[in-house]
Amino acid sequence: MITLALFLTGVVSLLLFEPSVTAFYYTKPDGIMWFIRIVSHMVSHGNFRHLMGNFMFGLPFMLYAEYRLQDSKKFLKLFFYTGLAALIGQRLFDLYSVFPANGVIGSSGAVFGVVAFSLAIANENKWIRLMSLSTLAFHIHNQAMLTWYSMKGLTWGVAFGAHLCGILAGVLCAFILRHHLARRRRRGSKRSRK
C-alpha cells in the first residue's frame, strides 16, 4: 500500500513542516538539499485542501496502478519519474510564462502521471479501454489548455504545466511497459514452439 504511505507522508509533512521547507525552488540548487527537495516536493502539499484534492482524485488510479504493477519498487519509480518530469516540465513552462513561479510544491504532477499511466494501461475489455483512453484524451487537452492560459497570465497559482508533463510521462511509462510485456510474450511463444 505505497499509495496510502505517500499520502500519509503528505499529512505528516504538513503537520511538521512549513510548505516552504519542502518545496523545490529553481534558484536554490545546493548540493544534497537539491536532491532532497526534488523528492520532498513530490510528497508534500501546499495545504490540507491541496492534499485532499490530490488524494480524492488520485487514490483509485494510484491503487489500480499499484495493483497492475504488482511491485512496490516499480510503483515508486513510476511516481518518481512522473514527478520528476512534472518538475522539469513546469520549469520549462515557467521560463516562458508571464508570471513565472520561483518553485513548486505538491505531488500533483506525479499523481496526474500515475492517473495517466492507469488510464493508458486499462484494458479489461474494449469498453473500459475506450472510456479510459477518452478520459486520458480529456485530461491531456484540459491540462494543455490550462497550461497555455497560465503561461499567458490568465491564471496562476497552479502548476498546470507540471500536471501536463506528469500526464505525458505517465503515458510514456505505460507505452514502455506495454512494449516490454509484448516483447516478453513474443519471446515466450518462440520458446514454447521450439
Side-chain angles (χ1 to χ4, degrees), residues 27-53:
T27 56
K28 295 183 184 178
D30 51 352
I32 191 71
M33 284 307 295
W34 186 75
F35 181 76
I36 289 171
R37 283 180 182 262
I38 285 176
V39 175
S40 70
H41 100 274
M42 286 184 222
V43 294
S44 55
H45 300 80
N47 53 44
F48 277 102
R49 196 179 96 223
H50 185 207
L51 176 110
M52 289 310 297

Side-chain angles (χ1 to χ4, degrees), residues 143-170:
Q143 294 305 314
M145 293 303 295
L146 290 168
T147 299
W148 178 256
Y149 295 151
S150 179
M151 287 175 63
K152 296 298 178 191
L154 301 174
T155 180
W156 60 88
V158 176
F160 293 116
H163 298 174
L164 177 61
C165 291
I167 289 170
L168 297 176

Side-chain angles (χ1 to χ4, degrees), residues 8-194:
L8 284 175
T9 303
V11 171
V12 170
S13 171
L14 277 172
L15 293 173
L16 298 180
F17 304 105
E18 285 292 314
S20 60
V21 173
T22 56
F24 181 86
Y25 297 98
Y26 303 139
T27 56
K28 295 183 184 178
D30 51 352
I32 191 71
M33 284 307 295
W34 186 75
F35 181 76
I36 289 171
R37 283 180 182 262
I38 285 176
V39 175
S40 70
H41 100 274
M42 286 184 222
V43 294
S44 55
H45 300 80
N47 53 44
F48 277 102
R49 196 179 96 223
H50 185 207
L51 176 110
M52 289 310 297
N54 280 335
F55 181 75
M56 289 187 296
F57 173 66
L59 182 65
F61 298 101
M62 292 175 73
L63 290 172
Y64 178 75
E66 196 173 346
Y67 166 76
R68 287 293 300 267
L69 289 172
Q70 295 289 308
D71 185 339
S72 298
K73 287 181 186 174
K74 285 181 183 175
F75 180 77
L76 281 173
K77 283 181 186 177
L78 171 67
F79 190 85
F80 179 76
Y81 292 151
T82 57
L84 184 60
L87 174 65
I88 293 168
Q90 183 62 43
R91 175 58 175 152
L92 292 174
F93 286 120
D94 276 334
L95 290 174
Y96 301 99
S97 179
V98 173
F99 299 115
N102 64 353
V104 291
I105 187 167
S107 63
S108 303
V111 169
F112 267 93
V114 176
V115 167
F117 174 84
S118 296
L119 292 170
I121 63 166
N123 63 351
E124 281 73 11
N125 64 49
K126 68 179 182 177
W127 297 112
I128 288 177
R129 184 97 184 113
L130 178 63
M131 289 172 52
S132 295
L133 292 178
S134 299
T135 304
L136 180 59
F138 166 78
H139 283 303
I140 291 171
H141 176 265
N142 185 44
Q143 294 305 314
M145 293 303 295
L146 290 168
T147 299
W148 178 256
Y149 295 151
S150 179
M151 287 175 63
K152 296 298 178 191
L154 301 174
T155 180
W156 60 88
V158 176
F160 293 116
H163 298 174
L164 177 61
C165 291
I167 289 170
L168 297 176
V171 170
L172 178 62
C173 289
F175 176 78
I176 291 168
L177 177 66
R178 279 183 174 278
H179 180 72
H180 175 72
L181 293 175
R183 199 169 63 195
R184 189 187 302 172
R185 277 193 297 271
R186 282 195 300 271
R187 275 195 219 138
S189 66
K190 285 179 185 176
R191 286 187 193 135
S192 63
R193 278 186 248 152
K194 288 181 182 177

